[in-house]
Amino acid sequence: MRTAPTCPRCRGRLVPPSAWSSAWTCLVHGEVPPLQPPMRPCAEALEAVRSRARVPVWVPWPPPTGWLVSGFAEVGDERSGAIAVAVALSGPSPIGGPADLVLVAEEPGVGLGASYAGLKGPDPGHGFGVTAPNAKVEIDGHPVSMWALGTEKTAAYAGEALANWIWAVLWPESAGVLMVEQLALRDLREAPLDLPYGAACPRLT
């Protein structure tokens, strides 16, 4: 049986739309778009995400050495399309040991990236972007600034690209040194790259 959608901010149970309301409702956060169950890492899942995505589907390309795509997640339903998309990757941390990276593109207010980062609000929060950036990624040959966020147990960075939030969340926190490499990101909606796939990432659940 397919797992039910959950709240993108707290993973809590949702009350589905009814004859009285067309919205999904979280008992804690009120009306929210639904976070669908994560999809296993494979070409078929990528095609499904690409067909529904209203936001970029970011992946570092080429990926860091030894890193594999390890899953996809999306927020939205058949009416809205995917208004937030997460792509997980797993591989060796630059300073040793295994690591995970989740890249999120989302419309403002969804809260998926913030939830992976361990933040309470749906967006990066007060003070975001008022200092010099802590990292940059490259999109279409242009640098995009990213700011480190005060989180626990993760290294989390957020920025803005194509009118949407872009998040990079890494586990463990020490794996944040990967962002020093200024990853080049590609939007998988533009072309279905021949991605290397690995085992499913538990961070998406």
Side-chain angles (χ1 to χ4, degrees), residues 33-56:
L35 171 62
Q36 303 295 336
M39 290 169 278
R40 61 189 182 91
C42 64
E44 292 77 12
L46 171 59
E47 283 305 308
V49 171
R50 290 179 68 243
S51 70
R52 293 188 289 263
R54 286 176 39 185
V55 296

Side-chain angles (χ1 to χ4, degrees), residues 130-154:
V130 299
T131 62
N134 305 102
K136 292 184 179 181
V137 295
E138 182 182 300
I139 296 175
D140 292 333
H142 302 288
V144 174
S145 297
M146 304 282 284
W147 283 265
L149 305 171
T151 65
E152 297 181 1
K153 301 180 181 180
T154 70

Side-chain angles (χ1 to χ4, degrees), residues 8-204:
R9 296 178 60 182
C10 68
R11 307 299 186 271
R13 182 178 66 86
L14 296 181
V15 178
S18 66
W20 296 273
S21 173
S22 61
W24 294 83
T25 305
C26 171
L27 299 180
V28 176
H29 296 107
E31 293 185 2
V32 296
L35 171 62
Q36 303 295 336
M39 290 169 278
R40 61 189 182 91
C42 64
E44 292 77 12
L46 171 59
E47 283 305 308
V49 171
R50 290 179 68 243
S51 70
R52 293 188 289 263
R54 286 176 39 185
V55 296
V57 183
W58 296 123
V59 67
W61 194 260
T65 301
W67 283 70
L68 305 172
V69 173
S70 50
F72 305 95
E74 61 183 22
V75 175
D77 57 21
E78 65 278 359
R79 298 168 302 167
S80 68
I83 59 175
V85 172
V87 179
L89 298 100
S90 302
S93 170
I95 61 172
D100 298 307
L101 164 65
V102 172
L103 290 168
V104 176
E106 64 181 356
E107 295 182 0
V110 175
L112 183 63
S115 72
Y116 288 133
L119 301 178
K120 293 183 178 180
D123 297 319
H126 178 72
F128 168 79
V130 299
T131 62
N134 305 102
K136 292 184 179 181
V137 295
E138 182 182 300
I139 296 175
D140 292 333
H142 302 288
V144 174
S145 297
M146 304 282 284
W147 283 265
L149 305 171
T151 65
E152 297 181 1
K153 301 180 181 180
T154 70
Y157 298 81
E160 295 179 75
L162 305 180
N164 295 290
W165 290 125
I166 176 174
W167 299 77
V169 186
L170 299 105
W171 297 261
E173 184 180 8
S174 59
V177 297
L178 187 70
M179 297 298 291
V180 175
E181 299 182 15
Q182 189 166 326
L183 301 174
L185 303 185
R186 291 279 298 274
D187 181 358
L188 292 173
R189 294 179 303 172
E190 298 176 355
L193 300 172
D194 186 14
L195 301 177
Y197 294 104
C201 178
R203 306 293 182 181
L204 293 179

